[in-house]
Amino acid sequence: MRWTQNFIPTMKETPEGAEIPSHVLMLRAGLINQVMAGAYTYLPLGLRSLRKAERIVREQMDAAGAVELLMPAITPLSLWERTGRVEAFGDVLIQFAVRRQNRKVPMALGPTHEEVITDLVSRHLSSYRQMPITLYQIQNKFRNEERPRFGVLRTSEFLMKDAYSFNTSVESLDESYDAMYEAYCRIFDRCGIEYLPVEAESGPIGGDASCEFMIPADNGEDTVAHCPDCGYAANLERAEVGTRDCAPPDVPLDEIKKVDTPEAGTIAQVTALLGCKAEQMIKTLIYMADAQPIAVLLRGDREANEAKIRRAVDAEQIELAEPDVIQKVTGAPVGFAGPVGMAEKIPLWADRDLLRMRNCVTGANEVDTHLTGVNLGRDFQLPDDRFVDLRNADEGDPCPRCSSRLTLRHAIEVGHVFKLGTKYSEALGARFLDAEEQLHPIIMGCYGIGINRILAGLVETSHDKAGIIWPVALAPHEVLLLPMKVTDETTMEATERLYAQLREASIDVLLDDRDARAGVKFNDADLIGIPLRVVIGPRGLKEDKLEIKWRWDSEPEMIALDGAVEQIADLIREERNTAARFRAQRGNAG
RNA sequence: CGGGGCGUGGCGCAGCCUGGCUAGCGCGCCUGCUUUGGGAGCAGGAAGUCGGAGGUUCGAAUCCUCUCGCCCCGACCA
């Protein structure tokens, strides 16, 4: 591909509104163009990278035994009504109705395709002999994001690979799931991405049923807890807190005292007023667990984890109680609840942090009043089995698997493998007959990869001041041929010959044939980030040499013109398969 | 959905508070000459309904009202 025949609108300045590196660089390098909030055009270079990512995904899915199909983006709304996901998705589901003769046909743009594929399978899979099978597609998905942001990371239309496995047993599902997991590792490895498989909120099957593939990045929207020593990694919703450090400190117990705290109903206000630390406070949250009020006790500076609470109390649904319920249950308005002297006897649950807290500050269940010197055991009691992990993990918490401590990192979710179970097969009547002629719902798994996020995540984690640093596998082009002087006949003869021969060798080469100054070309080359830059100029040609430089190296290398094609082709072929140099430089960069 | 910010040639911005001649600047673009190994110099040029609507005024990019769009923080996120 010749630059002058291509459409590569690079920008020297950062467009207003772009803030994070991936967004800025993808815009500046002429990869994407914003059409509206949450919708981008992929320009020629961006599209090439997108297609390369797509191809890697496709190859590995095929290698893992999955079969590709393509479902429509428009779907009948009725399908979503059957699984109750019209409500579940709410405004995120893009709905509309089109007129056909004298009737209206309600539709939705697919935000994911469990319904469509399960409906398909319900019509064509009816025997255990037809399974297991894993089907996938690579398709645009539509979600009306409340707040699209971060360029291509969160958009309302995006390209996703979604796969669905159909199995007759949990054991078979495990196998399909493992195959997908392995395929995902190969995909991200081939892309040269540094990723972390993290435990995610498990589905109806429980156990290790859900894993998210995360790219650690400062601008990631998700937070993962990670143990650098044993490798334990989980998203914040899921991350367990280790059970060490539960013994109380050996300090004398203060007397319990009632203190006035006028209009101090938040942790911040109370700590400011009383001069105590949030760590000394007991935060008392009143939840409705399946319509029954319960109290959840947490250390003042911790965040409640509603998924953990829901599991602990074994409820279908939990939500924070309304103010009138809190008034009735505690005897005080919101902000003054505490475990001592509550108006009603409701079940108390405590995070394990409480076990090592002494002389605490907490609400007195009276308006504008708190208690100090509150101590577990003396002033209030809970059964042993009510002390559980109910909060989000925090930086420095004990690792649940080893003796080390957890760190928190932001991350970009690029993939998710998930054991779904029978939710959709039951709702949509996808059943099979087993060898004993018994009817069962098909057991499903689903497996997604955000193709756009592969690119954004890569750029986010692989760039320098000058621009993007692509691995060969994802780069829009593998080699950039950069003739220093397009008006010089000798230069152009050598360049054209090289260009033709590299193409002949199936190397994906971009020829910067613009009649522009060296500085312009070099800067664009760095910005776009083609991994191997080949400079051909009169200076080198005098010695029958040309210059090659990996994007991540600082110094170029002169190589002989004679045999240059083979040398370059070999380098690219090697790097294409291993990404060894790309990885090595990244290791050095830290 | 709460809080904040921004809309002025293709891109980045100034001007607005304190209304006043042909609305500026940098980059990019076009022409010519000179240059030519890391975003060239000089000269000339094209290009803007100042996001939109309404209002105030002799006069509005500037003041007022409404509206649309975009971005950031938070809430939300199959």
Side-chain angles (χ1 to χ4, degrees):
Chain A
M1 174 59 72
R2 289 166 197 273
W3 194 300
T4 55
Q5 292 171 3
N6 209 329
F7 178 53
I8 310 175
T10 60
M11 282 179 277
K12 206 188 282 194
E13 284 174 294
T14 300
E16 188 206 16
E19 306 223 333
I20 67 170
S22 59
H23 192 194
V24 168
L25 291 173
M26 290 178 80
L27 287 167
R28 286 192 51 214
L31 265 44
I32 55 170
N33 179 262
Q34 182 170 7
V35 176
M36 63 176 184
Y40 288 82
T41 294
Y42 276 78
L43 302 174
L45 289 192
L47 182 63
R48 290 187 72 91
S49 283
L50 193 69
R51 291 287 179 248
K52 289 192 179 181
E54 188 183 326
R55 186 170 164 191
I56 290 170
V57 170
R58 181 173 284 119
E59 284 174 4
Q60 294 306 323
M61 293 308 291
D62 291 346
V67 191
E68 185 171 10
L69 45 65
L70 184 62
M71 292 176 270
I74 51 171
T75 63
L77 191 66
S78 55
L79 212 42
W80 304 89
E81 285 165 344
R82 288 171 67 190
T83 55
R85 286 221 286 183
V86 175
E87 292 75 30
F89 274 113
D91 288 338
V92 171
L93 188 67
I94 298 177
Q95 297 182 39
F96 55 97
V98 296
R99 187 175 298 284
R100 278 183 186 162
Q101 288 161 348
N102 59 351
R103 65 207 163 90
K104 284 255 187 179
V105 183
M107 300 183 181
L109 294 178
T112 174
H113 278 76
E114 280 86 0
E115 277 80 357
V116 181
I117 199 139
T118 308
D119 181 61
L120 170 78
V121 158
S122 75
R123 295 163 200 276
H124 299 286
L125 291 189
S126 49
S127 158
Y128 71 99
R129 294 173 195 246
Q130 295 167 299
M131 284 175 273
I133 189 166
T134 298
L135 303 171
Y136 78 98
Q137 67 168 347
I138 297 175
Q139 232 272 26
N140 278 8
K141 299 284 192 266
F142 298 85
R143 290 178 197 178
N144 179 34
E145 289 292 344
E146 296 280 320
R147 191 182 150 204
R149 60 181 135 180
F150 295 150
V152 127
L153 272 181
R154 178 162 290 267
T155 54
S156 290
E157 177 177 353
F158 53 97
L159 187 61
M160 183 166 159
K161 185 285 300 177
D162 48 324
Y164 307 88
S165 69
F166 301 90
N167 306 87
T168 56
S169 69
V170 172
E171 294 69 35
S172 166
L173 171 63
D174 288 345
E175 284 172 23
S176 296
Y177 176 94
D178 289 345
M180 284 296 112
Y181 185 104
E182 298 298 325
Y184 275 37
C185 293
R186 283 193 296 272
I187 287 165
F188 299 126
D189 280 339
R190 277 201 52 193
C191 290
I193 282 176
E194 269 178 38
Y195 64 95
L196 209 54
V198 314
E199 289 181 23
E201 197 42 47
S202 64
I205 295 189
D208 59 346
S210 174
C211 174
E212 290 169 345
F213 287 78
M214 297 284 201
I215 303 177
D218 291 341
N219 289 304
E221 291 185 280
D222 293 282
T223 303
V224 304
H226 179 225
C227 173
D229 287 339
C230 72
Y232 173 78
N235 73 16
L236 205 53
E237 190 175 42
R238 171 79 184 176
E240 300 162 40
V241 176
T243 54
R244 283 176 289 133
D245 304 339
C246 282
D250 188 17
V251 293
L253 302 191
D254 292 345
E255 255 177 60
I256 190 163
K257 262 191 258 173
K258 205 178 263 193
V259 293
D260 284 344
T261 51
E263 286 175 43
T266 67
I267 300 281
Q269 288 165 333
V270 175
T271 54
L273 190 69
L274 300 182
C276 60
K277 290 181 178 166
E279 295 99 286
Q280 283 176 262
M281 294 200 57
I282 298 173
K283 178 153 69 178
T284 307
L285 301 171
I286 309 299
Y287 274 95
M288 297 303 285
D290 294 339
Q292 292 301 313
I294 59 164
V296 172
L297 308 179
L298 299 171
R299 210 173 86 176
D301 58 334
R302 304 297 196 187
E303 268 179 62
N305 181 313
E306 297 191 355
K308 289 181 181 177
I309 297 170
R310 186 172 49 77
R311 267 196 301 274
V313 306
D314 195 22
E316 289 282 311
Q317 207 186 354
I318 66 156
E319 57 181 348
L320 278 170
E322 297 296 326
D324 57 320
V325 175
I326 293 173
Q327 177 77 49
K328 179 165 159 286
V329 167
T330 68
V334 177
F336 300 95
V340 185
M342 225 177 258
E344 290 186 9
K345 273 224 166 303
I346 59 170
L348 294 181
W349 293 81
D351 182 77
R352 280 194 304 255
D353 283 336
L354 271 282
L355 289 170
R356 58 188 183 116
M357 291 175 71
R358 280 289 179 266
N359 301 325
C360 309
V361 178
T362 190
N365 300 308
E366 263 178 54
V367 68
D368 294 345
T369 313
H370 278 73
L371 296 175
T372 64
V374 174
N375 283 289
L376 174 66
R378 183 190 69 186
D379 304 319
F380 67 101
Q381 293 83 32
L382 279 78
D384 285 350
D385 62 359
R386 291 288 179 80
F387 292 94
V388 273
D389 177 15
L390 297 177
R391 65 171 173 89
N392 284 344
D394 242 326
E395 183 82 29
D397 276 335
C399 173
R401 300 281 185 273
C402 75
S403 61
S404 188
R405 295 192 175 273
L406 296 175
T407 60
L408 294 190
R409 310 176 73 172
H410 286 286
I412 297 163
E413 183 188 349
V414 278
H416 195 171
V417 292
F418 191 67
K419 293 180 188 172
L420 252 186
T422 56
K423 177 178 172 185
Y424 297 99
S425 50
E426 279 175 19
L428 296 167
R431 293 184 293 262
F432 70 95
L433 218 48
D434 68 14
E436 277 78 45
E437 298 191 344
Q438 297 293 306
L439 214 46
H440 304 278
I442 299 175
I443 301 174
M444 293 173 59
C446 75
Y447 318 93
I449 290 180
I451 312 280
N452 316 262
R453 283 186 173 185
I454 293 180
L455 299 194
L458 188 285
V459 176
E460 196 62 37
T461 54
S462 180
H463 63 267
D464 60 16
K465 270 173 245 132
I468 302 170
I469 302 176
W470 288 111
V472 167
L474 293 179
H477 295 277
E478 295 169 327
V479 172
L480 180 70
L481 276 190
L482 201 158
M484 288 304 304
K485 196 172 181 182
V486 297
T487 51
D488 179 67
E489 223 171 272
T490 322
T491 302
M492 291 318 285
E493 264 173 33
T495 302
E496 290 290 350
R497 197 161 51 241
L498 208 56
Y499 179 59
Q501 289 170 343
L502 284 171
R503 281 158 53 101
E504 190 64 28
S506 297
I507 302 300
D508 176 8
V509 46
L510 177 64
L511 168 57
D512 188 353
D513 56 346
R514 291 177 298 171
D515 183 8
R517 302 176 68 83
V520 172
K521 291 193 179 192
F522 283 142
N523 279 305
D524 272 347
D526 289 346
L527 178 59
I528 287 169
I530 307 295
L532 192 66
R533 189 187 76 187
V534 179
V535 175
I536 308 106
R539 193 187 285 178
L541 288 178
K542 268 183 215 152
E543 305 166 36
D544 287 321
K545 286 189 169 166
L546 48 77
E547 169 194 311
I548 62 171
K549 184 178 99 65
W550 292 104
R551 172 64 178 84
W552 44 82
D553 285 342
S554 52
E555 294 305 318
E557 178 189 349
M558 301 302 290
I559 64 167
L561 189 56
D562 188 35
V565 172
E566 292 71 26
Q567 195 175 341
I568 291 167
D570 285 346
L571 283 172
I572 289 297
R573 278 193 283 261
E574 187 192 335
E575 186 63 16
R576 204 190 263 163
N577 292 328
T578 63
R581 288 181 174 83
F582 177 79
R583 271 184 238 282
Q585 59 90 22
R586 172 138 71 183
N588 295 337

